[in-house]
C-alpha cells in the first residue's frame, strides 16, 4: 500500500509513511500556557497509532492573542523543558515519527471574552450574524506590528527546533492572521501589504524567508494554506496557485491545503458560498489543481476516514494525506489499516440549522475526545453534541479566568 511507503522531504529528512495527523486545536495547556501531562498523554496515543507525521495544534507566537484560553504559547522567553518533553513523548514509540509544531497568530479570530489583543490587516470585524458579538472588532496593524510579528514567528520556530521538534508549520489558513492578509475580504490596506495579490501575500512570504533563514537546513518548514476561503469575493483557488508559485523557491518542505474560516467552516465540510464539497477528502479537487504548479510536496486534509480514500488521494498526485477528526475518533486508525483495510473512523459532524452553532458543537465533540485521551481514556463515538457544547462552554469559562491572569502578566512583561 502506497500510504505506508516512506517519503523524503526537500530538507532531506524522511517520513516513515504518508499519513499525517493534521493540527487540531486541543486547548489543553497546563497553567502558564505550556504543555502538561494531559497533552503528553494525548500525543503518546497518537505516537503509538502508526501516524508518520504529527503536527501539533496551533501554538501561539504571542500569548496576548490566542485562539482559545487553553492554548499553548511558545516565545523567546519560554522555558523549554515542557516543550522538550512534548517532542520526546511524540517520538517515544518510534524514533522515525516526526513531530512538527504548527505556529500561529489568530488575528481577529479572538473571542471577546478573553480580552486579548485583536489585530488584523484592516479593522474588518468577523461577520457571524447574531453570533458576531462573540468577537471584538480588530485594530489594523501598523508596520511596527508587522515587523514584530515576523520576528515572533522566527523566535517560535527557533525555540521549537531547540526543544527537539523536527519542523514547523506556518498557519496561513482558516481565517487566522496570515490568512486575513491573503484575503481581499479582510485586507483593505493600500500600502505594500494590501491591494494586489502580490502585496497581500507579502507577509506570508516574509515570514517563510525569515524562518527558513534562521533554522537548520534539515529542519522542516511547511505552510498550511487555504485552497479557498469559500466566501464570495474571498481568497480562491487561483489566488492559492499564485501563492504556491511564489513559495516554490523559498525552501518550503510541504504545503498543506485546507479551506475555510470561522465564517465559512469548510474544514468541517460546510461553506458560506454555496459550493458543495466532496463527502470525503473535501479539498482533493482543489489540491490536484494547485499541485500542478507546485514544486514542493503537497498535503491535503479534510474528511479522510477510510484507507481507500487515502489511497485515492495519493493516486491523484498528492504526496501526504492529512487526517484530523478521524484520528481524534480513532488514534489507532493507521495501525488498524495495516490489518483491516475496511477500518473506518466515526464522523462526528453536527448538522443543526444554525451553522455557526453546528461548527462550534462539532469542535466541542472532537475536543471532548482529545480530553478523554488526555485523561487516559478511549474516545467515545456516541457523545451528545449538546452536552459536549455545554460542558465545553463551562470548561472554557474556567480556562478564560486562568488565561486572564496570564494575559495580565504577559502585558506587564511586554511593557518592561
Amino acid at each position: 500500500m502506497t500510504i505506508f511507503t516512506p517519503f523524503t522531504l526537500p530538507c532531506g529528512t524522511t517520513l516513515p509513511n504518508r499519513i499525517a495527523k493534521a493540527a487540531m486545536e486541543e486547548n489543553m495547556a497546563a497553567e502558564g500556557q505550556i504543555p502538561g501531562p494531559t497533552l503528553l498523554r494525548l500525543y503518546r496515543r497518537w505516537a503509538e497509532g502508526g501516524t508518520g507525521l504529527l503536527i501539533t495544534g496551533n501554538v501561539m507566537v504571542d500569548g496576548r492573542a490566542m485562539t482559545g484560553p487553553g492554548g499553548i504559547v511558545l516565545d523567546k522567553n519560554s522555558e523549554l523543558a515542557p516543550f522538550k518533553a512534548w517532542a520526546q513523548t511524540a517520538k517515544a514509540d518510534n524514533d522515525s515519527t516526526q513531530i512538527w509544531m504548527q505556529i500561529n497568530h489568530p488575528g481577529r479570530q479572538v473571542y471577546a471574552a478573553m480580552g486579548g489583543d485583536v489585530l488584523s490587516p484592516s479593522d474588518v470585524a468577523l461577520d457571524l450574524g447574531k453570533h458576531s458579538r462573540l468577537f471584538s472588532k480588530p485594530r489594523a496593524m501598523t508596520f511596527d506590528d508587522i515587523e514584530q510579528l515576523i520576528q515572533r514567528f522566527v523566535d517560535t520556530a527557533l525555540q521549537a527546533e531547540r526543544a527537539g521538534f523536527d519542523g514547523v508549520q506556518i498557519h496561513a489558513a482558516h481565517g487566522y492572521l496570515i490568512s486575513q492578509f491573503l484575503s481581499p475580504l479582510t485586507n483593505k490596506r493600500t500600502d505594500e501589504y494590501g491591494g494586489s495579490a502580490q502585496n497581500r501575500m507579502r507577509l506570508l512570504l516574509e515570514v517563510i524567508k525569515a524562518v527558513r533563514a534562521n533554522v537548520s537546513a534539515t529542519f522542516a518548514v511547511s505552510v498550511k494554506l487555504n485552497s479557498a476561503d469559500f466566501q464570495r469575493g474571498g481568497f480562491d483557488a487561483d489566488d492559492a496557485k499564485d501563492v504556491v508559485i511564489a513559495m516554490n523557491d523559498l525552501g518550503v518542505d510541504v504545503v498543506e491545503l485546507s479551506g475555510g474560516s470561522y465564517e465559512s467552516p469548510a474544514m468541517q465540510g460546510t461553506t458560506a458560498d454555496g459550493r458543495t464539497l466532496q463527502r470525503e477528502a473535501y479539498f482533493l479537487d482543489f489540491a490536484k489543481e494547485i499541485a500542478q504548479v507546485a514544486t514542493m510536496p503537497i498535503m491535503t486534509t479534510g474528511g479522510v476516514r477510510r484507507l481507500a480514500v487515502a489511497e485515492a488521494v495519493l493516486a491523484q498526485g498528492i504526496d501526504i494525506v492529512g487526517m484530523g477528526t478521524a484520528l481524534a475518533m480513532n488514534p489507532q486508525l493507521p495501525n488498524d489499516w495495516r490489518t483491516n483495510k475496511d477500518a473506518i473512523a466515526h464522523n462526528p459532524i453536527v448538522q443543526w440549522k444554525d451553522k455557526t452553532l453546528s461548527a462550534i458543537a462539532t469542535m466541542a465533540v472532537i475536543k471532548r475526545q482529545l480530553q478523554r485521551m488526555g485523561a487516559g481514556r478511549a474516545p467515545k463515538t456516541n457523545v451528545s453534541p449538546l452536552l459536549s457544547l455545554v460542558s465545553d462552554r463551562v470548561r472554557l469559562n474556567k480556562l478564560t479566568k486562568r488565561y486572564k491572569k496570564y494575559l495580565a502578566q504577559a502585558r506587564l512583561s511586554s511593557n518592561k
Side-chain angles (χ1 to χ4, degrees):
M1 291 179 283
T2 306
I3 198 76
F4 292 113
T5 58
F7 184 76
T8 300
L9 302 169
C11 66
T13 61
T14 299
L15 305 178
N17 59 50
R18 308 293 188 93
I19 305 171
K21 183 206 77 68
M24 290 175 280
E25 186 180 9
E26 298 104 3
N27 244 312
M28 292 167 60
E31 187 171 356
Q33 312 306 132
I34 60 174
T38 56
L39 194 66
L40 268 57
R41 278 194 292 268
L42 171 61
Y43 274 79
R44 182 59 190 259
R45 289 294 295 272
W46 280 322
E48 295 169 346
T51 302
L53 169 63
L54 302 177
I55 303 176
T56 73
N58 48 24
V59 172
M60 298 295 105
V61 301
D62 186 347
R64 298 168 299 176
M66 306 280 289
T67 58
I72 303 290
V73 178
L74 179 61
D75 60 27
K76 64 180 181 181
N77 297 316
S78 296
E79 168 59 46
L80 286 184
F83 294 90
K84 290 179 179 179
W86 192 7
Q88 290 166 0
T89 297
K91 301 178 186 182
D93 195 61
N94 188 340
D95 286 340
S96 63
T97 298
Q98 291 213 6
I99 180 166
W100 297 356
M101 181 182 290
Q102 186 186 79
I103 56 178
N104 187 22
H105 189 294
R108 67 177 186 161
Q109 292 185 165
V110 175
Y111 285 98
M114 292 172 57
D117 295 350
V118 187
L119 305 177
S120 196
S122 307
D123 60 351
V124 179
L126 273 166
D127 182 5
L128 293 171
K130 64 183 179 182
H131 302 293
S132 297
R133 66 184 184 278
L134 293 172
F135 297 88
S136 300
K137 188 174 182 178
R139 171 176 67 80
M141 293 177 70
T142 65
F143 283 113
D144 283 346
D145 291 329
I146 291 172
E147 288 181 359
Q148 291 174 23
L149 177 73
I150 295 169
Q151 186 59 50
R152 283 185 175 277
F153 272 95
V154 171
D155 291 341
T156 301
L158 284 170
Q159 289 283 70
E161 183 173 17
R162 292 175 185 133
F165 286 79
D166 302 294
V168 291
Q169 181 183 72
I170 298 164
H171 203 335
H174 296 176
Y176 294 120
L177 183 56
I178 297 179
S179 179
Q180 291 162 33
F181 271 86
L182 293 171
S183 173
L185 294 177
T186 45
N187 188 343
K188 305 295 185 182
R189 301 176 74 97
T190 57
D191 58 18
E192 58 263 49
Y193 288 97
S196 68
Q198 183 176 3
N199 282 354
R200 284 185 279 111
M201 72 176 76
R202 187 181 304 275
L203 174 62
L204 171 59
L205 302 185
E206 289 182 350
V207 169
I208 295 168
K209 290 175 184 176
V211 170
R212 183 76 275 176
N214 282 275
V215 297
S216 302
T218 55
F219 187 75
V221 176
S222 64
V223 174
K224 187 163 191 170
L225 182 71
N226 272 359
S227 55
D229 288 347
F230 298 98
Q231 292 178 268
R232 291 182 178 87
F235 184 84
D236 217 329
D238 288 339
D239 298 310
K241 279 185 178 179
D242 290 340
V243 174
V244 169
I245 290 170
M247 291 192 291
N248 274 339
D249 298 323
L250 299 185
V252 174
D253 289 287
V254 175
V255 171
E256 178 190 355
L257 293 169
S258 185
S261 65
Y262 285 14
E263 293 174 325
S264 180
M267 54 284 200
Q268 296 180 4
T270 302
T271 69
D273 61 5
R275 274 185 277 187
T276 301
L277 299 175
Q278 298 179 148
R279 291 183 63 185
E280 296 182 62
Y282 303 148
F283 310 111
L284 178 57
D285 289 342
F286 297 94
K288 287 190 297 183
E289 186 179 342
I290 294 167
Q292 294 175 4
V293 301
T295 59
M296 76 287 284
I298 295 293
M299 166 181 165
T300 189
T301 299
V304 175
R305 297 182 293 124
R306 294 184 294 137
L307 176 59
V309 174
E311 290 284 359
V313 169
L314 297 178
Q316 296 296 325
I318 307 304
D319 302 291
I320 301 169
V321 178
M323 295 189 295
T325 301
L327 293 173
M329 305 311 294
N330 180 5
Q332 294 286 329
L333 188 59
N335 283 342
D336 289 348
W337 282 347
R338 290 183 181 273
T339 56
N340 178 10
K341 65 180 182 180
D342 296 321
I344 184 171
H346 175 71
N347 184 5
I349 300 299
V350 178
Q351 300 286 356
W352 292 342
K353 288 184 180 180
D354 189 314
K355 291 184 178 180
T356 298
L357 280 181
S358 293
I360 295 173
T362 298
M363 291 174 63
V365 170
I366 294 168
K367 284 191 285 186
R368 191 168 175 182
Q369 311 312 315
L370 305 185
Q371 292 157 22
R372 287 181 62 85
M373 288 190 281
R377 300 193 297 270
K380 188 177 181 180
T381 59
N382 62 343
V383 298
S384 163
L386 180 59
L387 289 178
S388 296
L389 180 58
V390 171
S391 63
D392 189 53
R393 291 298 100 184
V394 172
R395 181 175 179 271
L396 288 177
N397 285 339
K398 292 179 180 178
L399 289 174
T400 297
K401 291 178 181 178
R402 189 185 75 180
Y403 169 70
K404 284 185 174 180
K405 295 179 182 178
Y406 170 91
L407 177 62
Q409 184 60 45
R411 284 177 169 161
L412 182 64
S413 298
S414 69
N415 291 328
K416 289 180 178 179

